[in-house]
Amino acid sequence: MNDPITLNGITLTGTYVRRQEEVLTAQALDFVARLHRATKDRRQELLELREERRRAIARGEDPKFLEETRHIREDSSWQVAPIAPGLEDRRVEITGPVDRKMTINALNSGAKVWLADMEDSSTPSWSNVINGQLNLTDALDRRIDFTTDAGKEYKLRGEKLTDMPTIVMRPRGWHLPEKHMLIDGEPLAGGIVDFGLYFFHNAQRLIAQGRGPYFYLPKIESHLEARLWNDVFIMAQNLLGVPQGTIRATVLIETITAAFEMEEILYELRDHAAGLNAGRWDYIFSVIKNFRTRGPRFVLPDRTQVTMTAPFMRSYTEQLVRACHRRGAMAIGGMAAFIPNRRKPDVNAIAMEQVRADKTREAGDGFDGSWVAHPDLVPVAREVFDSVLGDRPNQVDRKREDVTPDDRGLLNIAGTEGAITETGIRTNIEVGIQYIESWLRGHGAAAIKNLMEDAATAEISRSQIWQWIHAHAITNDGEIVTERWVRELLDEEFDKLPRFDGDRFDDAREIFETVSLGIDFPAFLTIPAYENYLAEKDEKPRRRRQPQPQREREMAVA
């Protein structure tokens, strides 16, 4: 590890990454520091409000539409900003991390938008943080290429930026720190680092090329958190002399509490709002996390059985489309996570039909576009939305006035059909450990069993196990889910994992046990994994807390 250096009040502690001086200029660091200092206190207050809200839900207080913001919902006159250049047509959006190969593949994919992800599908190692910024700037300057060890070359095909998907960058959420950048000995907010560096270096580049600095905002839990992002946008534009309203943001509605404040979130960001997205996997995780101690009414079946046709998911997506179109914003559908395998045409055929059915439902419900995880899925999603949209760029004019705001519908968890199975438990263990192992090696998007898994699906895996144990859930075979039984299954599944030199499976298992079998429930598994286990090649992970022996843990639970 390099000796720490301090520039413009920010101490850099990460191992040197080639070309990092191009990103971490004195002016860029000053810009990021000013954004962080202006928002750090309010950010911390909002994170504390999250915990207060979770405690209230645990006490039995169900979320509901806010009385204090009723006037915003009932005022039909306000609209979000006009659609920005490059965001008029979003019928197919491809998502993925900002590594060099994925950047090229995404921009060559034929999608309308690329979600350049520095959040759930990107491990926040210092090298990834810096290289992600470099890759985005290199792509905008058309100087990006990549050659594999086998000699395969990747290059951009479009002649100019407007020939390629519009870039919408996703920074980290409010809860995640950047431990390699410190002010007064404390880490900066990871989201401010990601947003600030990208905006500082690329806002003018994007404007000059007929686009703009556009963002996806993750993990928002209330309209107050959206207001803080709006404050960041206003300050950032003022500091760099960028006209107000140039930034556009699409908010992921991926928490159960945000679902009750969708119009308010659009209102807070209205001069910068582009739309909302149905972040299905994190949304399911949020439901489990918030209601994990509320008994059988909130216990979901196996993850694979929680589909978008479940009553609470239908209520969520239909109300999202209504909220967006009522306010002139776009509604973007959820992820198709299937990864095609050209060696298994029969598997591909079945999966492609499932993707087609999913996208057909979304287009029919009024969504203006949807996400895919792989370039081979772009033609399928495009064909579906083409059949509905035709020559129109979107269907924002479809108001969905047939949908009524329904707070009870959002909480109809008990209406979800399905069962808890031993197979589901084993799958959660396998996916959870395999994903965390990949994450620890710097790969935040992992192909597991023909699906692209990211942090959200790992969160579902571990939170379901935690909830099933603490709810004394019963499988379809009549087996009570206990910690002892899960540990037996974990041993069996762990022994099946494909080990290799340099793997991080032992660490991954330790993390998985902590976040799924511990008495405490960490709000996000990425926080302890990042703070205690994630390290660059010449850094040492911090000393880890040893998991409690099972006997002590069982006594504590009792």
Side-chain angles (χ1 to χ4, degrees):
M1 182 175 179
N2 305 105
D3 292 332
I5 59 173
T6 300
L7 295 171
N8 283 12
I10 295 181
T11 300
L12 306 175
T13 65
T15 301
Y16 176 79
V17 176
R18 191 176 71 87
R19 295 178 59 199
Q20 75 174 34
E21 62 276 2
E22 298 175 33
V23 176
L24 304 174
T25 65
Q27 295 85 353
L29 290 175
D30 179 66
F31 178 74
V32 170
R34 293 175 73 175
L35 294 178
H36 174 81
R37 286 193 170 104
T39 57
K40 66 174 185 177
D41 291 342
R42 184 57 179 154
R43 170 178 166 262
Q44 189 56 46
E45 290 172 1
L46 291 172
L47 292 177
E48 291 169 2
L49 282 175
R50 285 184 179 183
E51 294 306 314
E52 289 180 16
R53 205 166 187 183
R54 285 196 191 102
R55 288 192 291 270
I57 293 172
R59 291 193 301 267
E61 297 179 20
D62 288 346
K64 58 185 178 181
F65 298 132
L66 302 179
E67 188 60 34
E68 61 267 31
T69 56
R70 177 188 291 272
H71 65 285
I72 293 174
R73 299 191 300 275
E74 293 183 349
D75 180 357
S76 61
S77 65
W78 63 269
Q79 295 278 288
V80 302
I83 297 173
L87 293 178
E88 302 91 347
D89 188 335
R90 304 177 63 173
R91 67 188 67 199
V92 187
E93 302 193 355
I94 191 167
T95 76
V98 287
D99 63 73
R100 213 157 181 84
K101 178 181 173 182
M102 180 61 197
T103 296
I104 298 168
N105 281 344
L107 293 175
N108 288 340
S109 67
K112 292 293 186 179
V113 168
W114 172 38
L115 187 157
D117 193 16
M118 300 193 79
E119 197 230 6
D120 266 6
S121 67
S122 180
T123 301
S125 66
W126 183 236
S127 58
N128 282 351
V129 169
I130 297 300
N131 283 317
Q133 295 286 346
L134 288 167
N135 293 337
L136 288 168
T137 300
D138 285 351
L140 293 174
D141 287 347
R142 300 194 54 76
R143 60 183 182 187
I144 190 168
D145 54 35
F146 178 76
T147 304
T148 67
D149 293 338
K152 184 176 181 180
E153 295 183 348
Y154 294 81
K155 295 181 179 180
L156 292 181
R157 290 198 291 263
E159 294 184 2
K160 54 185 182 298
L161 184 65
T162 50
D163 294 332
M164 297 180 288
T166 298
I167 297 173
V168 181
M169 195 272 272
R170 178 163 69 170
R172 281 168 282 183
W174 283 130
H175 61 287
L176 287 170
E178 176 45 68
K179 67 181 180 181
H180 299 101
M181 298 177 70
L182 310 177
I183 287 183
D184 302 323
E186 296 182 352
L188 276 74
I192 292 293
V193 171
D194 299 338
F195 164 82
L197 292 175
Y198 178 72
F199 185 81
F200 181 87
H201 290 294
N202 299 306
Q204 294 296 349
R205 278 185 173 90
L206 288 157
I207 294 167
Q209 297 183 50
R211 297 285 170 86
Y214 306 143
F215 299 91
Y216 259 109
L217 302 181
K219 305 294 188 292
I220 282 180
E221 298 199 15
S222 74
H223 70 286
L224 299 178
E225 295 184 17
R227 181 184 298 173
L228 184 59
W229 269 117
N230 198 65
D231 292 343
V232 170
F233 295 161
I234 292 171
M235 182 177 180
Q237 290 167 135
N238 281 338
L239 287 174
L240 296 189
V242 173
Q244 288 297 325
T246 302
I247 291 173
R248 288 292 193 277
T250 304
V251 177
L252 290 113
I253 301 300
E254 53 185 355
T255 65
I256 182 65
T257 50
F260 291 85
E261 302 179 35
M262 288 190 280
E263 288 191 73
E264 292 91 331
I265 287 169
L266 288 172
Y267 180 81
E268 294 295 343
L269 287 158
R270 60 194 179 279
D271 294 333
H272 300 105
L276 304 177
N277 169 274
R280 61 177 68 174
W281 304 125
D282 266 301
Y283 191 78
I284 294 169
F285 163 54
S286 176
V287 168
I288 300 168
K289 174 167 62 177
N290 280 283
F291 294 95
R292 64 186 184 272
T293 60
R294 289 281 299 275
R297 175 185 163 203
F298 295 98
V299 174
L300 288 168
D302 289 357
R303 164 190 153 189
T304 56
Q305 299 178 48
V306 185
T307 68
M308 298 305 293
T309 60
F312 79 103
M313 297 298 283
R314 287 292 291 157
S315 180
Y316 149 62
T317 53
E318 291 196 317
Q319 292 188 63
L320 186 149
V321 173
R322 175 194 177 275
C324 284
H325 289 182
R326 186 174 184 230
R327 303 303 179 179
M330 285 201 194
I332 308 301
M335 170 73 82
F338 175 65
I339 303 299
N341 186 335
R342 295 183 177 94
R343 292 173 295 181
K344 296 182 178 180
D346 53 336
V347 173
N348 280 358
I350 294 172
M352 286 296 191
E353 283 309 306
Q354 292 173 342
V355 170
R356 185 179 299 277
D358 182 52
K359 300 311 169 191
T360 299
R361 174 190 51 76
E362 288 181 326
D365 283 348
F367 280 96
D368 302 290
S370 189
W371 283 6
V372 299
H374 192 278
D376 286 357
L377 301 183
V378 170
V380 178
R382 184 173 56 222
E383 179 184 337
V384 170
F385 275 89
D386 285 350
S387 68
V388 172
L389 296 177
D391 294 333
R392 295 177 299 156
N394 55 66
Q395 51 183 334
V396 173
D397 59 346
R398 187 180 171 197
K399 302 303 183 184
R400 288 307 308 267
E401 293 175 347
D402 57 309
V403 176
T404 302
D406 180 9
D407 50 359
R408 292 190 178 186
L410 293 171
L411 295 178
N412 185 15
I413 316 299
T416 307
E417 296 182 355
I420 299 167
T421 69
E422 179 179 327
T423 298
I425 298 171
R426 289 181 181 274
T427 297
N428 281 345
I429 292 169
E430 179 185 6
V431 169
I433 293 177
Q434 285 208 45
Y435 177 78
I436 294 171
E437 192 279 332
S438 174
W439 190 92
L440 290 172
R441 288 187 293 108
H443 306 295
I448 303 173
K449 292 187 173 180
N450 294 321
L451 291 176
M452 184 60 73
E453 307 284 1
D454 67 7
T457 48
E459 293 282 24
I460 294 175
S461 296
R462 65 97 176 188
S463 60
Q464 279 202 315
I465 286 178
W466 195 98
Q467 185 186 36
W468 291 341
I469 290 172
H470 288 260
H472 308 292
I474 301 174
T475 70
N476 62 334
D477 292 327
E479 187 84 29
I480 298 175
V481 183
T482 65
E483 181 183 336
R484 186 183 299 278
W485 184 41
V486 170
R487 285 187 179 277
E488 291 174 0
L489 298 180
L490 194 154
D491 286 340
E492 293 175 12
E493 293 303 315
F494 191 78
D495 288 342
K496 299 176 186 176
L497 294 172
R499 304 302 296 265
F500 53 89
D501 289 342
D503 74 45
R504 297 291 301 275
F505 280 117
D506 290 334
D507 288 335
R509 173 175 179 158
E510 191 171 316
I511 294 169
F512 186 79
E513 289 184 359
T514 298
V515 299
S516 65
L517 300 178
I519 297 172
D520 297 328
F521 185 92
F524 296 94
L525 71 82
T526 48
I527 293 178
Y530 178 67
E531 292 178 347
N532 300 320
Y533 292 82
L534 186 63
E536 306 297 329
K537 292 180 180 179
D538 54 353
E539 288 182 291
K540 291 183 179 180
R542 296 181 189 178
R543 185 180 184 128
R544 306 160 192 158
R545 185 187 70 174
Q546 294 299 317
Q548 282 180 286
Q550 183 172 338
R551 173 183 255 173
E552 290 180 25
R553 294 167 40 73
E554 289 175 346
M555 291 174 64
V557 171

Coordinates of all heavy atoms in Angstrom, one line a residue, residues 303-356:
R303 N -37.1 -17.5 -3.9 CA -36.9 -16.4 -4.7 C -37.5 -16.6 -6.1 O -38.0 -15.7 -6.8 CB -35.4 -16.1 -4.8 CG -35.0 -15.1 -5.9 CD -33.5 -15.1 -6.0 NE -33.0 -14.8 -7.3 CZ -31.8 -14.8 -7.7 NH1 -30.8 -15.2 -6.9 NH2 -31.4 -14.5 -9.0
T304 N -37.2 -17.8 -6.7 CA -37.7 -18.0 -8.1 C -39.2 -18.0 -8.3 O -39.7 -17.8 -9.4 CB -37.1 -19.4 -8.6 OG1 -37.6 -20.4 -7.7 CG2 -35.6 -19.4 -8.6
Q305 N -39.9 -18.1 -7.2 CA -41.4 -18.1 -7.2 C -42.0 -16.7 -7.0 O -43.2 -16.5 -7.1 CB -41.9 -19.1 -6.2 CG -41.5 -20.5 -6.5 CD -42.0 -21.5 -5.4 OE1 -43.2 -21.5 -5.1 NE2 -41.2 -22.3 -4.9
V306 N -41.1 -15.7 -6.6 CA -41.6 -14.4 -6.4 C -41.5 -13.6 -7.8 O -40.5 -13.0 -8.1 CB -40.8 -13.6 -5.4 CG1 -41.4 -12.2 -5.1 CG2 -40.8 -14.4 -4.1
T307 N -42.5 -13.7 -8.6 CA -42.5 -13.2 -9.9 C -43.1 -11.8 -10.0 O -43.7 -11.3 -9.0 CB -43.2 -14.1 -10.9 OG1 -44.6 -14.1 -10.6 CG2 -42.7 -15.5 -10.8
M308 N -43.1 -11.2 -11.1 CA -43.7 -9.8 -11.3 C -45.2 -9.9 -11.3 O -45.8 -8.9 -11.3 CB -43.1 -9.2 -12.6 CG -41.6 -8.9 -12.5 SD -41.1 -8.0 -11.1 CE -41.8 -6.4 -11.4
T309 N -45.7 -11.1 -11.4 CA -47.2 -11.2 -11.4 C -47.7 -11.4 -9.9 O -49.0 -11.4 -9.8 CB -47.7 -12.4 -12.2 OG1 -47.1 -13.6 -11.7 CG2 -47.2 -12.2 -13.7
A310 N -46.9 -11.5 -8.9 CA -47.3 -11.5 -7.5 C -48.1 -10.2 -7.3 O -47.8 -9.1 -7.8 CB -46.2 -11.6 -6.6
P311 N -49.2 -10.3 -6.5 CA -50.0 -9.1 -6.3 C -49.3 -7.9 -5.8 O -49.5 -6.8 -6.3 CB -51.0 -9.6 -5.2 CG -51.1 -11.1 -5.4 CD -49.8 -11.5 -5.8
F312 N -48.4 -8.0 -4.9 CA -47.7 -6.8 -4.4 C -46.7 -6.2 -5.5 O -46.5 -5.0 -5.5 CB -47.0 -7.1 -3.1 CG -45.6 -7.8 -3.2 CD1 -44.4 -7.1 -3.0 CD2 -45.6 -9.2 -3.4 CE1 -43.2 -7.7 -3.1 CE2 -44.3 -9.8 -3.4 CZ -43.2 -9.1 -3.3
M313 N -46.2 -7.1 -6.3 CA -45.3 -6.6 -7.4 C -46.1 -5.9 -8.5 O -45.7 -4.9 -9.1 CB -44.5 -7.7 -7.9 CG -43.5 -8.3 -6.9 SD -42.3 -7.2 -6.3 CE -41.2 -7.1 -7.7
R314 N -47.3 -6.5 -8.8 CA -48.2 -5.9 -9.8 C -48.6 -4.5 -9.3 O -48.7 -3.5 -10.1 CB -49.4 -6.8 -10.1 CG -49.2 -8.0 -10.9 CD -48.8 -7.7 -12.3 NE -49.9 -7.2 -13.1 CZ -49.7 -6.5 -14.2 NH1 -48.5 -6.1 -14.6 NH2 -50.8 -6.0 -14.9
S315 N -49.0 -4.4 -8.1 CA -49.4 -3.1 -7.5 C -48.3 -2.1 -7.6 O -48.5 -0.9 -8.0 CB -49.9 -3.3 -6.1 OG -50.3 -2.1 -5.5
Y316 N -47.1 -2.5 -7.3 CA -45.9 -1.6 -7.4 C -45.7 -1.1 -8.8 O -45.5 0.1 -9.0 CB -44.8 -2.4 -6.8 CG -43.4 -2.2 -7.2 CD1 -42.8 -0.9 -7.1 CD2 -42.6 -3.2 -7.8 CE1 -41.4 -0.8 -7.4 CE2 -41.3 -3.1 -8.2 CZ -40.7 -1.8 -8.0 OH -39.4 -1.6 -8.4
T317 N -45.7 -2.0 -9.7 CA -45.3 -1.6 -11.1 C -46.4 -0.8 -11.8 O -46.1 0.2 -12.5 CB -45.0 -2.8 -12.0 OG1 -46.0 -3.8 -12.0 CG2 -43.7 -3.5 -11.5
E318 N -47.6 -1.1 -11.5 CA -48.7 -0.3 -12.1 C -48.8 1.1 -11.5 O -49.0 2.1 -12.3 CB -50.0 -1.1 -12.0 CG -50.1 -2.3 -12.8 CD -51.5 -2.8 -13.0 OE1 -52.3 -2.8 -12.0 OE2 -51.9 -3.2 -14.1
Q319 N -48.6 1.2 -10.2 CA -48.6 2.5 -9.6 C -47.4 3.3 -10.0 O -47.5 4.5 -10.1 CB -48.7 2.4 -8.1 CG -50.0 1.8 -7.6 CD -50.2 1.9 -6.1 OE1 -50.2 2.9 -5.5 NE2 -50.3 0.7 -5.5
L320 N -46.3 2.6 -10.3 CA -45.1 3.4 -10.8 C -45.4 4.0 -12.2 O -45.0 5.2 -12.4 CB -43.9 2.4 -10.9 CG -42.5 3.0 -11.2 CD1 -41.4 2.2 -10.5 CD2 -42.3 3.1 -12.7
V321 N -45.9 3.2 -13.1 CA -46.2 3.7 -14.4 C -47.2 4.9 -14.3 O -47.0 6.0 -15.0 CB -46.8 2.7 -15.4 CG1 -47.3 3.3 -16.7 CG2 -45.8 1.6 -15.6
R322 N -48.2 4.8 -13.5 CA -49.2 5.9 -13.3 C -48.5 7.1 -12.8 O -48.8 8.2 -13.3 CB -50.3 5.4 -12.3 CG -51.3 6.5 -12.0 CD -52.1 6.2 -10.8 NE -53.0 7.3 -10.5 CZ -52.7 8.4 -9.7 NH1 -51.4 8.4 -9.2 NH2 -53.5 9.3 -9.4
A323 N -47.7 7.0 -11.8 CA -47.0 8.2 -11.2 C -46.2 8.9 -12.2 O -46.2 10.1 -12.3 CB -46.2 7.7 -10.0
C324 N -45.4 8.1 -13.0 CA -44.5 8.7 -14.0 C -45.3 9.4 -15.0 O -45.0 10.6 -15.3 CB -43.6 7.6 -14.6 SG -42.3 7.0 -13.5
H325 N -46.2 8.8 -15.7 CA -46.9 9.3 -16.8 C -47.8 10.5 -16.4 O -48.0 11.4 -17.2 CB -47.7 8.3 -17.6 CG -46.8 7.3 -18.3 ND1 -47.3 6.3 -19.1 CD2 -45.4 7.2 -18.3 CE1 -46.2 5.6 -19.6 NE2 -45.1 6.1 -19.1
R326 N -48.3 10.5 -15.2 CA -49.1 11.6 -14.7 C -48.3 12.9 -14.7 O -48.8 14.0 -14.8 CB -49.7 11.3 -13.4 CG -50.6 12.3 -12.8 CD -51.2 11.8 -11.5 NE -52.2 12.8 -11.0 CZ -52.3 13.3 -9.8 NH1 -51.4 12.9 -8.9 NH2 -53.2 14.1 -9.5
R327 N -46.9 12.7 -14.5 CA -46.0 13.8 -14.3 C -45.1 14.1 -15.5 O -44.2 14.9 -15.4 CB -45.2 13.7 -13.0 CG -46.1 13.5 -11.7 CD -47.0 14.6 -11.5 NE -47.8 14.4 -10.3 CZ -48.8 15.3 -9.9 NH1 -49.0 16.4 -10.6 NH2 -49.5 15.1 -8.8
G328 N -45.3 13.4 -16.6 CA -44.5 13.6 -17.8 C -43.2 12.9 -17.7 O -42.3 13.3 -18.5
A329 N -43.0 11.9 -16.8 CA -41.7 11.2 -16.7 C -41.8 9.8 -17.3 O -42.9 9.3 -17.5 CB -41.3 11.1 -15.2
M330 N -40.7 9.3 -17.6 CA -40.7 7.9 -18.2 C -40.6 6.8 -17.1 O -40.0 7.0 -16.0 CB -39.5 7.8 -19.1 CG -39.6 8.5 -20.4 SD -38.5 7.8 -21.7 CE -38.6 9.1 -22.9
A331 N -41.3 5.7 -17.4 CA -41.3 4.6 -16.5 C -40.5 3.5 -17.2 O -40.8 3.0 -18.3 CB -42.7 4.1 -16.3
I332 N -39.4 3.0 -16.5 CA -38.5 2.0 -17.1 C -38.7 0.7 -16.3 O -38.7 0.7 -15.1 CB -37.1 2.5 -17.0 CG1 -36.9 3.9 -17.7 CG2 -36.2 1.5 -17.7 CD1 -37.3 3.9 -19.1
G333 N -38.9 -0.4 -17.0 CA -39.1 -1.7 -16.4 C -37.9 -2.4 -15.8 O -36.8 -1.8 -15.9
G334 N -38.1 -3.6 -15.3 CA -37.0 -4.3 -14.6 C -36.1 -5.1 -15.5 O -36.2 -5.1 -16.7
M335 N -35.2 -5.8 -14.8 CA -34.1 -6.5 -15.4 C -34.5 -7.8 -16.0 O -35.2 -8.6 -15.3 CB -33.0 -6.6 -14.4 CG -31.9 -7.6 -14.8 SD -30.8 -6.8 -16.0 CE -29.8 -5.8 -15.0
A336 N -34.0 -8.1 -17.2 CA -34.0 -9.5 -17.7 C -32.6 -10.0 -17.5 O -31.7 -9.5 -18.2 CB -34.4 -9.5 -19.2
A337 N -32.4 -10.8 -16.5 CA -31.0 -11.2 -16.1 C -30.5 -12.4 -16.7 O -29.4 -12.9 -16.4 CB -31.0 -11.4 -14.5
F338 N -31.2 -13.0 -17.7 CA -30.8 -14.3 -18.3 C -29.5 -14.0 -19.1 O -29.4 -13.0 -19.8 CB -31.9 -14.8 -19.2 CG -31.4 -16.0 -20.0 CD1 -31.1 -17.2 -19.4 CD2 -31.4 -16.0 -21.4 CE1 -30.7 -18.3 -20.1 CE2 -31.0 -17.1 -22.1 CZ -30.7 -18.2 -21.5
I339 N -28.5 -14.9 -19.0 CA -27.3 -14.9 -19.8 C -27.3 -16.1 -20.8 O -27.2 -17.2 -20.4 CB -26.0 -15.0 -18.9 CG1 -26.0 -13.9 -17.8 CG2 -24.8 -15.0 -19.7 CD1 -26.0 -12.5 -18.4
P340 N -27.5 -15.8 -22.1 CA -27.6 -16.9 -23.1 C -26.3 -17.7 -23.1 O -25.2 -17.3 -22.9 CB -27.7 -16.1 -24.4 CG -28.3 -14.8 -24.0 CD -27.7 -14.5 -22.7
N341 N -26.6 -19.0 -23.3 CA -25.5 -20.0 -23.4 C -25.6 -20.7 -24.8 O -26.6 -21.5 -25.0 CB -25.6 -21.0 -22.3 CG -24.4 -22.0 -22.3 OD1 -23.8 -22.2 -23.3 ND2 -24.1 -22.6 -21.1
R342 N -24.8 -20.3 -25.7 CA -24.9 -20.8 -27.1 C -24.7 -22.3 -27.2 O -25.0 -22.9 -28.2 CB -23.9 -20.1 -28.0 CG -24.2 -18.6 -28.1 CD -23.3 -17.9 -29.0 NE -23.6 -16.4 -29.2 CZ -23.1 -15.5 -28.5 NH1 -22.2 -15.8 -27.5 NH2 -23.5 -14.2 -28.7
R343 N -24.2 -22.9 -26.1 CA -24.0 -24.4 -26.2 C -25.2 -25.1 -25.7 O -25.3 -26.3 -25.7 CB -22.8 -24.8 -25.3 CG -21.5 -24.3 -25.9 CD -20.3 -24.6 -24.9 NE -20.5 -23.8 -23.7 CZ -19.6 -23.8 -22.7 NH1 -18.5 -24.6 -22.8 NH2 -19.8 -23.0 -21.6
K344 N -26.3 -24.4 -25.2 CA -27.5 -25.0 -24.7 C -28.7 -24.4 -25.4 O -29.4 -23.6 -24.8 CB -27.5 -24.9 -23.2 CG -26.4 -25.6 -22.5 CD -26.6 -25.5 -20.9 CE -25.5 -26.3 -20.2 NZ -25.7 -26.2 -18.7
P345 N -28.9 -24.7 -26.7 CA -30.0 -24.0 -27.4 C -31.4 -24.3 -26.8 O -32.3 -23.4 -26.9 CB -29.9 -24.6 -28.8 CG -29.1 -25.8 -28.6 CD -28.2 -25.6 -27.5
D346 N -31.6 -25.4 -26.1 CA -32.9 -25.7 -25.6 C -33.1 -24.8 -24.3 O -34.3 -24.3 -24.2 CB -33.0 -27.2 -25.2 CG -31.8 -27.6 -24.3 OD1 -30.8 -27.0 -24.3 OD2 -32.0 -28.6 -23.5
V347 N -32.1 -24.6 -23.5 CA -32.2 -23.7 -22.4 C -32.5 -22.3 -22.8 O -33.3 -21.6 -22.3 CB -30.9 -23.8 -21.5 CG1 -31.0 -22.8 -20.4 CG2 -30.8 -25.2 -20.9
N348 N -31.7 -21.9 -23.9 CA -31.9 -20.6 -24.4 C -33.3 -20.3 -24.9 O -33.9 -19.3 -24.7 CB -30.9 -20.3 -25.6 CG -29.5 -20.0 -25.1 OD1 -29.3 -19.9 -23.9 ND2 -28.6 -19.9 -26.1
A349 N -33.9 -21.3 -25.6 CA -35.2 -21.1 -26.2 C -36.2 -20.9 -25.1 O -37.1 -20.0 -25.2 CB -35.6 -22.3 -27.0
I350 N -36.2 -21.7 -24.0 CA -37.1 -21.5 -22.9 C -37.0 -20.1 -22.3 O -37.9 -19.4 -22.0 CB -37.0 -22.7 -21.9 CG1 -37.3 -24.0 -22.6 CG2 -37.8 -22.4 -20.7 CD1 -37.0 -25.2 -21.7
A351 N -35.7 -19.8 -22.0 CA -35.4 -18.5 -21.3 C -35.8 -17.3 -22.1 O -36.4 -16.3 -21.6 CB -33.9 -18.5 -20.9
M352 N -35.6 -17.4 -23.4 CA -35.9 -16.3 -24.3 C -37.4 -16.1 -24.3 O -37.9 -14.9 -24.4 CB -35.4 -16.5 -25.7 CG -33.9 -16.4 -25.9 SD -33.3 -14.7 -25.6 CE -31.6 -14.8 -26.2
E353 N -38.2 -17.1 -24.3 CA -39.6 -17.0 -24.3 C -40.1 -16.3 -22.9 O -41.0 -15.6 -22.9 CB -40.3 -18.3 -24.5 CG -40.3 -18.8 -25.9 CD -40.9 -17.7 -26.8 OE1 -42.0 -17.2 -26.6 OE2 -40.2 -17.3 -27.8
Q354 N -39.4 -16.7 -21.9 CA -39.7 -16.1 -20.6 C -39.4 -14.6 -20.6 O -40.1 -13.7 -20.1 CB -38.9 -16.8 -19.4 CG -39.4 -18.2 -19.2 CD -38.5 -18.9 -18.2 OE1 -37.4 -18.5 -17.9 NE2 -39.0 -20.0 -17.6
V355 N -38.2 -14.2 -21.2 CA -37.9 -12.8 -21.3 C -38.9 -12.1 -22.2 O -39.3 -11.0 -21.9 CB -36.4 -12.7 -22.0 CG1 -36.2 -11.2 -22.3 CG2 -35.4 -13.2 -21.0
R356 N -39.3 -12.7 -23.3 CA -40.3 -12.1 -24.2 C -41.6 -11.9 -23.4 O -42.2 -10.8 -23.6 CB -40.5 -13.0 -25.4 CG -41.4 -12.4 -26.4 CD -41.6 -13.3 -27.6 NE -40.3 -13.6 -28.3 CZ -39.8 -12.8 -29.2 NH1 -40.4 -11.7 -29.5 NH2 -38.6 -13.1 -29.7

